[in-house]
Each structure stands twice: as C-alpha cells, then as structure tokens.
Amino acid sequence: MTLKIALVQTNSLVGNIDFNFNQITEIVMKTRSESPVDLIVFPELVLTGYPPEDLLLRTDFISQVNGILFELAKLAPEIAIVIGFPEIFKGKLYNSAAVLLSGDVLTIYRKQKLPNYGVFDEQRYFSAGTDSCVFELKGQYIGIGICEDTWHSKIVEATKKAGAEILVTLNASPFHSGKAQKRESIISKNASAAQLPIVYVNMVGGQDELVFDGASFVMNKNGEVVLRAQEFVEEVRIIEFDGSEPIPAYCAPSYTPLSSDYAALVCGTRDYVYKNGFKGAILGLSGGIDSALVLAIAVDALGAENVEVVSLPSRYTQAMSNDDAKEQAYILGVTYHCIPIEPAVNAFTAMLEDTFANMQSDTTEENIQARCRGVVLMAMSNKQGKLLLTTGNKSEMSVGYATLYGDMAGGFAPIKDVPKLLVYALAKYRNQLSPVIPERVITRPPSAELAPNQCDADSLPPYEILDPILQRYIEEDQSSQQIIDAGFDKQAVARAISLVDRSEYKRRQSAPGIRISVRAFGRDRRYPITSGYRGT
Amino acid sequence: MTLKIALVQTNSLVGNIDFNFNQITEIVMKTRSESPVDLIVFPELVLTGYPPEDLLLRTDFISQVNGILFELAKLAPEIAIVIGFPEIFKGKLYNSAAVLLSGDVLTIYRKQKLPNYGVFDEQRYFSAGTDSCVFELKGQYIGIGICEDTWHSKIVEATKKAGAEILVTLNASPFHSGKAQKRESIISKNASAAQLPIVYVNMVGGQDELVFDGASFVMNKNGEVVLRAQEFVEEVRIIEFDGSEPIPAYCAPSYTPLSSDYAALVCGTRDYVYKNGFKGAILGLSGGIDSALVLAIAVDALGAENVEVVSLPSRYTQAMSNDDAKEQAYILGVTYHCIPIEPAVNAFTAMLEDTFANMQSDTTEENIQARCRGVVLMAMSNKQGKLLLTTGNKSEMSVGYATLYGDMAGGFAPIKDVPKLLVYALAKYRNQLSPVIPERVITRPPSAELAPNQCDADSLPPYEILDPILQRYIEEDQSSQQIIDAGFDKQAVARAISLVDRSEYKRRQSAPGIRISVRAFGRDRRYPITSGYRGT
C-alpha cells in the first residue's frame, strides 16, 4: 500500500486570513488536478501567517478562523489536509494543527512545546497541548508535531508510542545562517532514535525581521534525507511512502552559507517591499560597499525597473565615490539621480550660526550632513511611494556608527544583521555570479566621508578585529574578560563593548532588517535603553 | 510581642548592580540608625532593577549578584532583610527573594507566577518556583510572595496554610492610570479571603517605557489599608505589628487620576533624562497644546534651568503661535530660541525642483518642513548633550499623524501614551496648580500648521469622537463592528482604524514614551508591521 504526501512550503501573509485561505485553496485544487495525493501538509499557522504577534489577542481576528476550516475541509474531501491554525478550545488559545478529511475535521493536534526565547513569544499567546495525536490514513498511522515539538526527542518518541508510523511536522522555523543544517541534524537524531520517518514542512518568505527558508525535507526512519525542497522558493514537493518507507525523491543540493545568506536577504527584501504595498525601492548610493551591496540585493529582489538610486555628494565626497556610484547604477540599469547636499547644509549652518557661536565643530556638523541626505531621500520616497532602504550594516548598528534620521532614515534595513566582513564576502559572492559591484568599491578602505579624509579605521578598530569581538559580545553573550582571554586586545574590546552598550537608543529607533545571524538586533536581542550595565 | 517592618520603595538603576547595592546599603544603615526595625523589605529584583530584559541572559551579569547577598547579609546582622534578586539554582534562573539574617541567607523564595503578557516577558527568563516560603522572626511567622503571586488567591492561601501569619510581598508593579486602586482592591480581596495581613512593597521610578509608582501599602487581615506610602516618591515607611495585627500608621491620601497621571509623566521624564546621563532637555515649542504640556512636564521634572525651547516658525505658522510659545517660555523661565526654518525649506525645494518637476504638491512638502525642524533640534541636542523631547500624543501616534524624522525626532516622548483629550485635561490640571500654559494655547483649535490654514479637524474626526474609538480599538481590542454598535459613526470608525492599521511602521521607529494606559504602544502592544490584517 502506498501513500502520497505533498509538502507545501507556502508564503503566507500575516494577518490576512482571506488571502491565506485563497492561496491554500488554489494549491489544494492545483495539486489535486495535477498530481493527486493522499495527504497535503501545510506549515504551522499557515492560516494566519507567522508570527501574528498581538493580532492573536483580538477576538475578531481569531473568530475569522472559525468556519474557514470547514470550508477548507469541503475543498477536496478525498484528500487529507493538515493545516496549522490558532484554535480556541475551552476558552484557551492553542497553536494547533487540524486534519481535514471527508468534509470534516478528523482530529486536532495542539502544540506542546511553546518556544519563548530568542525571536519567539509563544507563551504570550498560547496554552500548551499535552497529548500526542495519531490518525489513520489508508492503513498507515500518521502522527503530528508542530515545530519545536519535533526538536524534543521525548515528544517524537511519545508520538511513536502512540502508534505513529510516520510523523508529519508543521513548521514556521525562521532562517539564520546554518539553520537548515542544524535543523536536519537534530531532526535526524530524533527520527533515528525513535525509528520514525519524518515529513518536515516549513514556511517560506519574509515577515518583518524574520525570513523563512522553506528547505522542507523528508527523512526515513534512519534519519537520512530522502527528499529536500529548495530554499527560499514557494513549492510543492511530493513524497511517496511504501508502507512507512519513503521512496527517495528530489533532493535540492545542500546550501552554502554565502548563497543562503544572500538568498535570505533577497527574499526578505522582496517580501517586505511587496507585502507592504510599495511600488519599489529607493536608496542613497554613496560609492561605498554597504549601499553597493544593498543595491545588488534590491535589484535581485525587485528588478532594476523598480529600483532608484540617489547620489548625494557633499564637499567631503571624493570624486571616485561619485564615479563608482554612477558606474554601478549604469551596470545594473537602475534610475540614477545626483543631488548635491551643499545648499541644505549651508542653510542649516547659517541658521545655527548664532546659536553655535563660539562652539567647536564636532559630530553635530557630520550629523547635519547625514540628515540632509535623509530629508532628500525621504522626500523622494514619499513623493513616489517607493520604500527607502537604509544601508547600515551590523557592525555599524552595533557600535552606533550611524546617524539617527540621517543614514538611518528608511523603512527597511536589508543588511542590518550583516557584519562588515560578511558584507565584503557577500559582495564578492554576488560578483562571481555576474559583475554588479565595481571592483574599486570592494577594495578601497571604508569611509563615512563626513569630514575631510575620514576613514572608519580612525575611530574604530579594524573590522577584522571588531567583527569577531562584536560576535562574541552580542551573539554569544561573552564577557569582556572572556573576549580578552581569547586573545583580543584589551583596549579594542573595551572600546567596542562600550560603544555597543551606549548605542541601544539608536537601535531602538532603527528600521527593521532581516535576521540572518543567531542573534539579530530587534525582537531577538531585547536590551533596556536606560541601563547602568557596562560590559567592561 | 511587636514586630517593626520597614517598607522601602526604592528607585533602582537597571543593570547597575554596584549602584543598587550601594543604595541598599545606605538605606539599611540609615534605617538602622534612625528608626531600628526588625525587618526591612525591598522590592522585587531590586538588585538588578526591573525589567533587566536580556541582561538576564548574560552569565557575567548574573554572576555579579553572587557574593553580594552575603555582603548585604553582613551589613546589619540583627535585622532581617528581604531582597529581590535573580537566582541561579540547579542551572535554572529564578525570580527570587532572599531573607538575610545573622550574616547569612536564612531562606529563599522563588516566584511561582511569572507574568508573560502585556509588558511582561518573565517566562523568557525565569523558571517558576513551586513552594511557599515561611520564616520565623521574633515568634511571628512571615510568608513571602513576589508581585503576580499575590494577585492569585490560591498562592496567598497556600502561604497561609504553610503557616504564615503575615505576608510580605515584593513588587515591581508598573503604573497605569487607576493601577493603584486596582492593586489595592485585588490584594484586599486576597488578604481578607485568607485572613492574612499583607505588607506590599513596590518599586518607584522610571525605566524606559515603564514607570513604577511606589504607593506601597499594608493591609490588615480584613483587607483594610492601615498604611499607604506616597506615590512616585522614594521613601521608607514603617509599620508595627502587635502580633499579626498591624497598628495603623501614615496613610497617603488616595490619588486622583489626573494627579497620578501627571506625576507619572514627570517621574518618567526625570528618570529617563538623568538615568541616561543627559544634562537636560530641549524641545520644539510650537505654540500648540502638546509641546506646551511637554514643556510643563519637563520643567517640573528637571527644573527650568535645565530646559531649553526652540520656536521653529515657517511661512504657515500664525503669529499667535509664536507669541504663545514665547510667552510660555517666559512664564516658565526657560531658555528660548527662535530659528525660522524657511532657508532650509527653500534649499530642499530648490534641490528637488528638477526631480519633482510636474509632480503635484502633497504631504511630501509638509514632511520636508517637519524634517527641517528635526534637523535643527537634533543639531542643538547633539551640540549640548541635552535630550530632545518629542511632543507627539497618543492620538497622533495611533493614526500616524506625525512625520518620521520630523516632529517624531527625539530621544523620549513624554506624552506618547496620552490621548489628545487627556492632553487638554492634564494641561488644565497643571494650570490649576500654577499658571504655566497660556490660556489661548488650551482654547484654540489644534493645527499642525504645515499648510495654509490647516486644522486637525480637516483630516481627522474630532478628538471627542476619535479618542474613544482609538481606546476601544487599541486598548480594548474591540472590532470595528463592536465600536459601531456602541454608537460611533461607521465612516469615522473605518477611517480611524484604517489609519491605526497602516501606521505601525512609524510607531516602530518612534522614541520610547511613558506608559500610563492599560495598553501603550511599544513593548505593551506588539503588532507586525507587515500585516494584511484590516480591522475594518
């Protein structure tokens, strides 16, 4: 007896139950007509998108789900459909999966392990289920798990004990660098320990700071991958079981860290722009590496015809910066503007002349330049309905090397979680596919160009030293002493950590960006602004 | 046999364990020498401040607490001290209270009910305790509870059953309007149900979006208040027990909603400015009611000598706005500047002339004006190290009637959680104490003055209608149908809700402000930016 299961890695729109319902309907009908299966598995909370956050506290939102399950059950009564949804049961809210069959709800599973760490807040909303759920389909017994459940060997084993011969798991498992490998490795252990094949279905697409990579898979009872879907692509993959033995099928190649990271940035940017209804994107192109990479990402995400760049030179901008910016715009075929900011800078300088009389020049004057650029870019964004992308990287966000309302102005920050060294690596990776960033942009030393002959290395440790210090402090919670003991210079460590500690107020007003590391700024790292903690 | 207990409502600095340790030491030594007691009770997590957020994930931070308890125990060995701290026990983290006596830790209580809703994320960090804790002192049996615990009658009763004759509870219970009354009412029920007197000690002071009101109290076993500390004041109050019967002592008067709200705003502003090391504050004074109220709050919080205002007229600013701004600055005795923004506006207009050729005027031009003000104010803030206060109210924040990087520029937003009608009420309340806001500022119709003869009422429903709609939608999670059924105009409801839904991206980049309602924007209301949910 064989059993055919469709893994649907779909891209939901958070909050829009009608949209998600229609999308699910379309996929079910298409699968039914093109390649009939016995069971279709959708991701966790596919009806609401993930994470719906405080929309889950709204009765009007939750009650929209009621009834929809029965409509879905009637779509293709001969096919079993497993679907994730928020369920009100005896006055409590659960993160549940319904099995729809023969026009009805056959059974419901309630997620047992509710993650409440990192980017997850599930205990804010959900009560935990307590029981395994196994149902019969064509003589096979199928158990259900939801995301975090399947990371716990005890729950996988309990499902097996409850009679499951195959485990299907619904996921909204967000990407970070190396996540797909980590996922496969943990699930593989649990599959082989319980001697239970696992069908793992993950969501795909960007949602604010999160991006879901898909990369769904099927493992046999020895934990070997026998099917692997592509990453960052909406697709339906079908696995056939002979009894409880899956028949090997399509396997997307394993991903390389750089290709996955880059794909994550493109996917996250595309979905943020389009899901929020923008007509395209605009960005300031300085001739530096950060905006060059963001432009490459934007063009890959949106197409050159939907991207516009503005060069905003000041008296401190070197000619080669302008040349390189213009060259990249030309290579990529995007609309290019050049608007020198001197008139506005001069106006502000004159307006503040009396107030600032007898006061020394300091970063105030640098910030005025950055903010004049912000005003121009925002005006162009407002006028055309194009989203302003801000181009700061994670190293800058960490140490506060950015101007609030200046270069930080913008609605989305594609490389906010990309440290400077990774910015270079991704630029080189992208240029290997096709040349999109002028070589000199990659090789020249980085500078903010806000003062004469300014260079990042004047006020910051070199990125080869800074980036690993930041990673240890921010992502690994190491103390300054631990970092020094690992061989880093005491003063460089003190300087870096002190800058991180006192820049929280800037990060709190920064645009959201795509998480690709194990700890991004934003919902993932929640620090007080008012804080007497000093890491040094 | 009598027992004297000191209730210490103290203002901790989040993250600075040394500072908090020193403050505790000082209070213990002072209390010991001035009015000896048997027991001193400090608030929840007094050693770290509340909420320490992700600092709790740092081993270096938690390990600082080790050892400090024993130092504190040695301060005054003859006095029992109950103190809140984060405790590592068998590899798990607890929100605990230690009883220090005779130079040692006598016993430890672990919080059982960990709030994970609203502004609280305690399940992100802590494991839950499971046991009551009762200790003997001078023949009396004293039980311990921590904050949320005491809101649960079962836990109060369990502590009584474990032998407690008096319950002391350590709290970090943040303020919202009416919270003190709510607290007393619930604790009173639990006290009288269990026939157990309760000593309730709450934190005081501002911490980012939260402000703690103190308002500690003691109830007898019938749930009657026999001692009440002041709100928003650091103080030590002493209660004497004759057996388990408290002897009535000082009772601060019950608070009025307006006086509490105003005091919360002053306290929150003062603590944000000083705890973050600013020399004072600066703000743009428009002649409108919002900035007038923020100025009054700032002067009450920081003193006139530490507050500076800037009038930033454009061609659309009416003469009476300038006059009123100047008059209020004069009344309050703050430094006043007037910097017309026309030169900068003209510069940007000219710079964008070609790009915007043949495009219609729209809000882009209004935003440019607001952003020119933002640039000037931020320059003055940067140059002097004074915090820029932004002056938007909750009604504006709700509907997005504010310009990102323009009037939204600033480090702190004192009235961000104050709806427009409450802005007026608070202005009138403050003027009753002493005249600080010119009468015309309160009586004239509100306008953003970004276009000729502009008036809020042109683009928004009147605040008498808008504010209650917003309250129902944002604070009470009502659906549009529920609001319409309550008698509100369908179109006004649709317009208000649609504006709220699509302004999340602005709020996400807004400055933190003080929570005074049951649901403030920020950590209290967590909505996705990318969202297909439409409340209408």
Side-chain angles (χ1 to χ4, degrees), chain A residues 14 58 60 208 478 530 533, chain B residues 58 60 208 478 530 532-533:
Chain A
V14 161
R58 300 194 70 90
D60 59 337
D208 289 350
Q478 290 191 11
T530 303
Y533 174 77
Chain B
R58 300 194 69 90
D60 59 338
D208 290 350
Q478 290 190 11
T530 304
Y533 174 78

Side-chain angles (χ1 to χ4, degrees), chain A residues 306-352:
Chain A
N306 295 312
V307 180
E308 208 168 309
V309 297
V310 193
S311 170
L312 297 147
S314 77
R315 75 193 76 170
Y316 304 120
T317 307
Q318 294 187 45
M320 74 169 153
S321 301
N322 296 330
D323 295 347
D324 291 347
K326 197 166 181 176
E327 188 190 335
Q328 192 190 4
Y330 177 78
I331 295 172
L332 285 169
V334 298
T335 305
Y336 166 87
H337 309 263
C338 180
I339 301 181
I341 59 168
E342 285 300 305
V345 174
N346 293 338
F348 284 117
T349 307
M351 287 157 65
L352 288 160

